[in-house]
Amino acid sequence: MTILRRALAGLGAVVLCALAMWFTSVKPHLVARLQTPLLAHGRVGAVVDNRVFSVKVDRVDVASGLVKHDSLGGDRRMTTPGIFVIVYVSAKSNLKPLQLGHARLETPGGLSYDETGRSDIFTSDASLEPMLWRSTFYVFEIPKDRLAGARFVVGQSDLVNNLSAETAVDLGLTASRTARLLTGPPTDYALKSS
């Protein structure tokens, strides 16, 4: 009988160890999912509301080269081996003053692209006031083959937590529209100073 008890105790210990190992592999995923912001979905041209702010993507342009006119009368030209994607956005706060942040382009296959890090490209400060619409733009630099199916995601600039709000907007970049956009994109697309 003692051998049977020892065998059962050993089996119980193995089961408990396996269960503990399973919990250590599952818990980080559960915690990460709890930290994911609340996501509102929409389409280009439509106002997408969440509890904190409202966003409308007015239009999307692509270019293989940018020109930025500076205040001293000079022009800064930038090229890319991929494509510049310029997303024009109107937004307003729904509750209190806030700033938009964490803007990115998400493409099929799970890849995500942050705003271009070029120092010559400064997007306007996306500070929002309650009930007042404000226009701004975001510039992304991505490979040409990643444009189809891309969506624009923007959230609050404060720390991302389970109380944050984000909006994901389908840019309507179907295969046929993407092919049209990539046929001769401008090499001297003018960015306005912000």
Side-chain angles (χ1 to χ4, degrees):
M1 190 93 150
T2 57
I3 294 176
L4 182 59
R5 282 187 181 174
R6 284 184 184 172
L8 288 175
L11 182 62
V14 168
V15 168
L16 287 175
C17 284
L19 190 59
M21 294 300 290
W22 180 74
F23 275 131
T24 59
S25 69
V26 169
K27 185 180 177 189
H29 299 292
L30 293 175
V31 171
R33 198 168 35 219
L34 288 175
Q35 296 296 320
T36 302
L38 301 173
L39 196 61
H41 296 275
R43 299 189 60 75
V44 66
V47 175
V48 185
D49 296 312
N50 60 46
R51 63 182 175 74
V52 180
F53 62 90
S54 298
V55 170
K56 177 184 172 194
V57 173
D58 298 313
R59 76 176 199 264
V60 179
D61 291 337
V62 299
S64 60
L66 300 177
V67 176
K68 185 165 185 179
H69 307 290
D70 62 19
S71 58
L72 300 174
D75 291 341
R76 294 184 181 162
R77 298 189 180 280
M78 296 157 273
T79 59
T80 179
I83 196 86
F84 289 109
V85 180
I86 306 98
V87 180
Y88 290 91
V89 174
S90 298
K92 71 177 175 82
S93 170
N94 293 334
L95 301 173
K96 61 183 181 178
L98 67 90
Q99 226 173 345
L100 292 180
H102 305 291
R104 62 193 181 276
L105 262 175
E106 291 183 351
T107 61
L111 293 177
S112 179
Y113 297 91
D114 292 332
E115 288 181 84
T116 184
R118 295 185 185 223
S119 60
D120 288 343
I121 302 174
F122 290 107
T123 56
S124 64
D125 177 27
S127 300
L128 304 180
E129 295 294 329
M131 309 314 293
L132 297 174
W133 286 95
R134 179 160 187 194
S135 296
T136 188
F137 64 89
Y138 295 91
V139 180
F140 302 93
E141 194 171 352
I142 68 170
K144 290 179 182 180
D145 62 344
R146 294 291 177 188
L147 184 60
R151 68 182 190 160
F152 174 71
V153 180
V154 67
Q156 298 170 249
S157 65
D158 55 355
L159 292 175
V160 176
N161 61 41
N162 59 346
L163 299 177
S164 296
E166 279 191 332
T167 299
V169 179
D170 178 2
L171 297 177
L173 295 171
T174 61
S176 60
R177 181 159 185 250
T178 301
R180 281 193 311 271
L181 287 172
L182 292 177
T183 303
T187 58
D188 56 354
Y189 188 93
L191 283 179
K192 299 175 187 171
S193 295
S194 35

